[in-house]
Amino acid sequence: MRYPTDAAARSLSVLVVFTLFAGDFWRDLISWWGYLALVGALTVLLAVVMTRRKLWSRLPLRRMPRTLVLFGVLAVVSLAWSFYPGATVLGLVAQAATTLAALFICVSLSWPQLLAALSTAFAWILGLSLVFELVIAVFVRQPVLPFFTDYGDTVVPKAFYWSQGLLFQGGPIQGIVGNRNILAFVAVLALIVFGVQLAQKLRRPRPTIAWIAIAVIVLALTRSATAIGALVVTALMLGVLLLARRAGHGRRVWVLAGVVVVSAGAIVAVSTFWQQVLGLFGKSEDLTGRVDIWNAVAGLAAQRPAFGWGWVSYWAPWVEPFNDLAVRRGVVYLQAHDAWLDVWFQLGFVGLALFVFLVVATWYRAWWFAVDRPLDSLGLPISRVPLTLAPALLLTAMIAQSFVESRMLVEGGWLLLVVFAVKTKLDQSLVAIDLGNDPEAVNPRPSRAALALEAHRPAVAPRLARKASARR
């Protein structure tokens, strides 16, 4: 697949990623109505661009991930038995808009361009967050509430504040997104993207190292245990992927066995020192109320175990049962803080099975994309490059976070999941041209076999591509 991407498409992609990962920034700045107007305008613009540029033709239904299609169909069909049909309609509209944005990115950006869009959006979020917190700490010197929101004379819970103004106290800071866990996870994703770009030499070293330092500072100031845990898991997976690259096909089973042993050891260690780990990050034994939320959601899910209560995406706090399902210190929560539990609650075991297959299949393709050799324009294997590690590492971080947050199902999390599900399906082979700004730099000295086969390229490349696809 070729990507004749222009500056307008790249800028639009950056705006989309920024908006979906920093949705709370827009909602706190211009209100919910302003945010809905912005998202509506972006959605219409994306649909017009996809249609006028005939980008839909690059997404043949027969090549789309079946589990993704079936999951979407089930979410739509759940309107028939939804306990809250109005909220389900809103949730489906939001899911469709996010999916449209993901499909636009898939067909508009190559892998290097995708990383560039992610890194630019994440840099804006991290940079503006530090500037925002600095302004609050220096000039305002008190907690700040979202704009265009009137709380009257009631006591406002801390969770409602846009910023607590704790930068000079060492945090935790919330940044422009108004939530330290969201900001911390953006920092984790930024570390992965910046690190891959630095290794691939897609960006100048000094600015990239500076942004890596900024991401580390932001992560430290958020003091988010969930994000740091996701980063540790991702770092371990990086080691596994590098070992698998060196091990070859026959020995990768031993690498996987090592992963099982290390994972078991990590679980035992965390279980043994659970209280010390929670105390280190200032967490209570119930994970800041998550255990109570999980119990409440599981109880409701058990009442409709097969097909769930109906899709809703973000919970709708104005309808039953969400208005009093998870309330802590005056805050009505909008998620189950566990993506897998949330899917079971909303779409039952059927939806959970489809979601598991979707994530596992996407991860499986990302694994082979990372450890297998990519192919050049002749269908011949070339040297591995750092860039192909990015999807597997980003997915690992998302999966690690999904056990304590449901954000894989909404906004930026759903965007990346759909992007990787579709893009790893469409771009399994012959992707050398996407691996850098200069394809010849990937394989500067073609082998004699490659030169000899140049004359037979039409016949050889498809056959070798099919063989590489069969290995996956």
Side-chain angles (χ1 to χ4, degrees):
M1 182 184 294
R2 302 282 72 82
Y3 306 89
T5 312
D6 55 20
R10 290 194 295 268
S11 299
L12 182 57
S13 299
V14 171
L15 178 59
V16 165
V17 174
F18 179 91
T19 299
L20 290 176
F21 274 95
D24 286 313
F25 163 71
W26 293 115
R27 291 188 284 267
D28 290 347
L29 181 67
I30 59 178
S31 78
W32 266 96
W33 292 110
Y35 170 75
L36 293 176
L38 172 63
V39 171
L42 276 176
T43 303
V44 172
L45 179 59
L46 290 173
V48 170
V49 172
M50 291 279 288
T51 302
R52 293 192 62 179
R53 298 191 177 188
K54 300 180 181 180
L55 299 178
W56 295 109
S57 62
R58 302 185 181 186
L59 297 167
L61 184 60
R62 60 183 175 81
R63 294 194 61 194
M64 295 291 287
R66 292 187 180 91
T67 49
L68 175 63
V69 175
L70 291 175
F71 185 84
V73 170
L74 181 62
V76 173
V77 174
S78 72
L79 184 61
W81 62 80
S82 175
F83 188 79
Y84 30 77
T88 296
V89 170
L90 293 177
L92 291 174
V93 171
Q95 210 76 27
T98 307
T99 304
L100 172 63
L103 295 179
F104 169 77
I105 289 176
C106 284
V107 297
S108 298
L109 304 180
S110 66
W111 285 109
Q113 291 168 344
L114 171 60
L115 290 190
L118 292 177
S119 65
T120 302
F122 294 157
W124 275 103
I125 294 174
L126 298 179
L128 288 177
S129 293
L130 284 181
V131 172
F132 174 69
E133 291 288 352
L134 182 62
V135 170
I136 298 300
V138 173
F139 298 103
V140 181
R141 300 181 183 179
Q142 64 181 11
V144 175
L145 287 168
F147 297 162
F148 303 103
T149 305
D150 184 12
Y151 294 99
D153 297 329
T154 60
V155 178
V156 181
K158 289 185 177 180
F160 287 1
Y161 281 94
W162 193 354
S163 171
Q164 297 287 339
L166 299 176
L167 178 62
F168 292 157
Q169 283 73 42
I173 64 172
Q174 300 170 189
I176 61 171
V177 297
N179 185 300
R180 66 171 177 166
N181 290 323
I182 297 177
L183 180 61
F185 193 65
V186 169
V188 170
L189 298 180
L191 283 172
I192 297 171
V193 173
F194 291 140
V196 170
Q197 287 184 313
L198 182 64
Q200 188 66 48
K201 299 180 180 179
L202 294 177
R203 292 173 59 113
R204 289 178 297 176
R206 290 183 180 178
T208 307
I209 293 174
W211 280 114
I212 291 175
I214 290 174
V216 171
I217 292 172
V218 169
L219 182 60
L221 289 173
T222 57
R223 301 196 335 227
S224 172
T226 58
I228 293 176
L231 181 60
V232 171
V233 172
T234 305
L236 294 174
M237 183 54 63
L238 173 60
V240 171
L241 291 173
L242 294 178
L243 283 175
R245 281 186 168 193
R246 297 177 61 88
H249 285 282
R251 299 179 180 177
R252 284 171 186 162
V253 63
W254 297 107
V255 176
L256 293 177
V259 172
V260 174
V261 172
V262 172
S263 300
I267 293 174
V268 172
V270 171
S271 301
T272 303
F273 301 101
W274 181 243
Q275 293 184 354
Q276 289 85 343
V277 172
L278 293 178
L280 179 64
F281 296 105
K283 292 287 185 180
S284 58
E285 293 187 12
D286 66 345
L287 286 174
T288 318
R290 282 180 172 84
V291 175
D292 292 337
I293 296 174
W294 294 338
N295 291 334
V297 174
L300 280 179
Q303 297 179 21
R304 293 187 172 192
F307 293 97
W309 290 66
W311 184 253
V312 70
S313 182
Y314 267 132
W315 292 0
W318 60 87
V319 298
E320 291 282 352
F322 303 113
N323 55 352
D324 59 356
L325 177 57
V327 182
R328 179 180 172 87
R329 297 177 181 176
V331 179
V332 180
Y333 283 81
L334 304 181
Q335 57 164 314
H337 284 285
D338 186 306
W340 316 90
L341 180 59
D342 232 335
V343 172
W344 178 39
F345 167 62
Q346 297 182 38
L347 295 179
F349 283 123
V350 176
L352 179 59
L354 288 175
F355 185 70
V356 169
F357 288 139
L358 169 62
V359 174
V360 171
T362 303
W363 162 251
Y364 179 76
R365 292 193 297 271
W367 163 271
W368 282 111
F369 188 69
V371 303
D372 211 2
R373 291 183 181 273
L375 304 178
D376 63 12
S377 59
L378 296 175
L380 298 175
I382 60 177
S383 300
R384 297 182 183 91
V385 290
L387 187 142
T388 56
L389 294 169
L393 294 178
L394 291 169
L395 273 172
T396 298
M398 293 166 56
I399 293 172
Q401 188 207 36
S402 68
F403 292 99
V404 290
E405 298 281 349
S406 299
R407 299 194 179 276
M408 187 187 286
L409 306 177
V410 297
E411 295 187 328
W414 182 254
L415 174 83
L416 287 188
L417 179 59
V418 174
V419 165
F420 293 140
V422 175
K423 202 164 181 62
T424 55
K425 183 77 171 180
L426 298 180
D427 295 351
Q428 288 190 48
S429 59
L430 300 176
V431 296
I433 197 172
D434 298 337
L435 297 181
N437 296 326
D438 182 9
E440 294 183 358
V442 178
N443 196 1
R445 291 188 296 178
S447 64
R448 291 184 178 181
L451 295 175
L453 290 172
E454 180 66 28
H456 305 282
R457 176 178 176 181
V460 174
R463 185 169 68 252
L464 292 176
R466 286 195 297 271
K467 289 182 179 180
S469 180
R471 291 202 307 269
R472 292 168 171 82

